[in-house]
Amino acid sequence: MPDVPRPVVEYLARLLTEHRRAIGTRRGTRVLGPFRQAVLVLRWFRDHTCIHCLARDAGISRATGYRYLHEGIDVLAAEAPGLADVLDRCQRAGLAFVVLDGTLIRCDRVSGQTERGTDLWYAVRIKHFAGNVQFLAAPDGTPLWVSDVEPGSTHDLASTRLHALPDLYRAASVGLPTPADIGYIGAGSGICVPFRKDPDLPGDIGISNQTYNRLLRGPRFTGERAMAVLKQRRRTLQHVTLSPHRIGAITQAALALNNAWQ
């Protein structure tokens, strides 16, 4: 039995039932019903159980196990909210800000090179192969949105420019700023980042800037909690063994499960 509340299993089973109906799956043509497929998918998310074990326990082949797993991931990822909808909902709820941060999700080595000839998916920050995912969190640390994946060598600011900045600018223009860490310096108006000392100038950054940094530190720390919630409840996010290109969909599926859990 998976360590998951039954309503969450039933939620995924309903999504799988609707998906099968939409693609015209005939009754009795699947080895597993929607409920048992939901259990298989949730065991993989919750405990990072290997596909071989999941297929063995369900009495299906490994290839069918992979197919059922990817189908469950795609069905859940489609339920993850988009960035524009999340920001509109935050504005209507009267939130003072949303927190922007990025995380590196470890993965197996994959071929690919940057323009400099280095490994595309190798993240120097953690000295491991990984995918870069950006996310937004509410002031209380609740995860709100996650982006598609970029290779681990991609800087947080570059990934944010691809997936989030235009919508964040529009939100900031109507009173919803975005605190972020020092990795987003240069992001632009509405993205509140700490002041950093210029190494070419003497002295420190000044008492006013130091106070600003301290005040900004508290809201930013809630962003760390948001991704910790996803990674601890969905242990498969601690190291993804599927294709690294699937990390974005997997993280979005984990967010949809977290929303259903809450």
Side-chain angles (χ1 to χ4, degrees):
M1 294 295 294
D3 182 20
V4 177
R6 186 179 181 88
V8 177
V9 185
E10 294 173 345
Y11 165 75
L12 177 53
R14 287 195 299 271
L15 294 179
L16 291 170
T17 301
E18 295 170 1
H19 173 71
R20 293 185 183 191
R21 188 179 297 115
I23 63 177
T25 301
R26 291 174 295 157
R27 185 182 298 273
T29 58
R30 295 284 192 105
V31 180
L32 300 183
F35 189 88
R36 292 185 63 195
Q37 183 181 355
V39 171
L40 180 149
V41 173
L42 291 172
R43 283 185 62 195
W44 183 80
F45 269 102
R46 180 64 173 165
D47 300 325
H48 202 189
T49 309
C50 67
I51 299 297
H52 173 75
C53 298
L54 293 174
R56 178 202 62 200
D57 295 345
I60 57 179
S61 68
R62 186 183 301 182
T64 302
Y66 272 111
R67 182 164 58 86
Y68 281 174
L69 175 60
H70 282 289
E71 184 178 51
I73 291 171
D74 291 336
V75 166
L76 283 169
E79 296 298 309
L83 179 56
D85 292 337
V86 166
L87 294 175
D88 288 342
R89 193 162 62 246
C90 291
Q91 292 170 15
R92 291 195 299 270
L95 296 186
F97 59 88
V98 290
V99 182
L100 171 66
D101 207 345
T103 187
L104 293 169
I105 298 178
R106 293 171 179 255
C107 63
D108 293 337
R109 183 171 185 175
V110 63
S111 61
Q113 290 186 337
T114 64
E115 296 178 353
R116 300 179 179 179
T118 57
D119 286 314
L120 183 64
W121 289 85
Y122 186 77
V124 176
R125 190 168 68 190
I126 61 172
K127 297 180 173 59
H128 200 279
F129 292 90
N132 184 311
V133 174
Q134 302 297 301
F135 64 93
L136 288 182
D140 63 355
T142 302
L144 298 174
W145 168 84
V146 292
S147 71
D148 290 330
V149 66
E150 295 296 329
S153 62
T154 308
H155 192 274
D156 281 341
L157 180 55
S159 182
T160 304
R161 284 195 177 110
L162 291 173
H163 300 292
L165 280 189
D167 289 310
L168 293 179
Y169 289 154
R170 284 192 290 271
S173 66
V174 293
L176 186 66
T178 306
D181 61 29
I182 202 168
Y184 297 90
I185 288 180
S189 177
I191 313 300
C192 306
V193 296
F195 287 99
R196 182 175 59 180
K197 181 183 179 302
D198 191 325
D200 297 329
L201 297 177
D204 54 26
I205 61 174
I207 188 63
S208 298
N209 292 340
Q210 290 176 7
T211 303
Y212 173 85
N213 288 352
R214 292 193 183 102
L215 293 173
L216 188 63
R217 192 177 301 137
R220 286 195 298 106
F221 282 166
T222 61
E224 300 289 341
R225 177 187 180 277
M227 187 49 64
V229 167
L230 291 183
K231 286 187 175 181
Q232 293 304 316
R233 286 183 178 172
R234 314 285 173 243
R235 297 187 183 96
T236 193
L237 291 179
Q238 297 174 13
H239 186 112
V240 173
T241 55
L242 299 182
S243 169
H245 297 280
R246 297 286 287 160
I247 290 176
I250 293 169
T251 311
Q252 290 163 2
L255 176 62
L257 284 175
N258 188 73
N259 293 340
W261 190 305
Q262 291 180 334

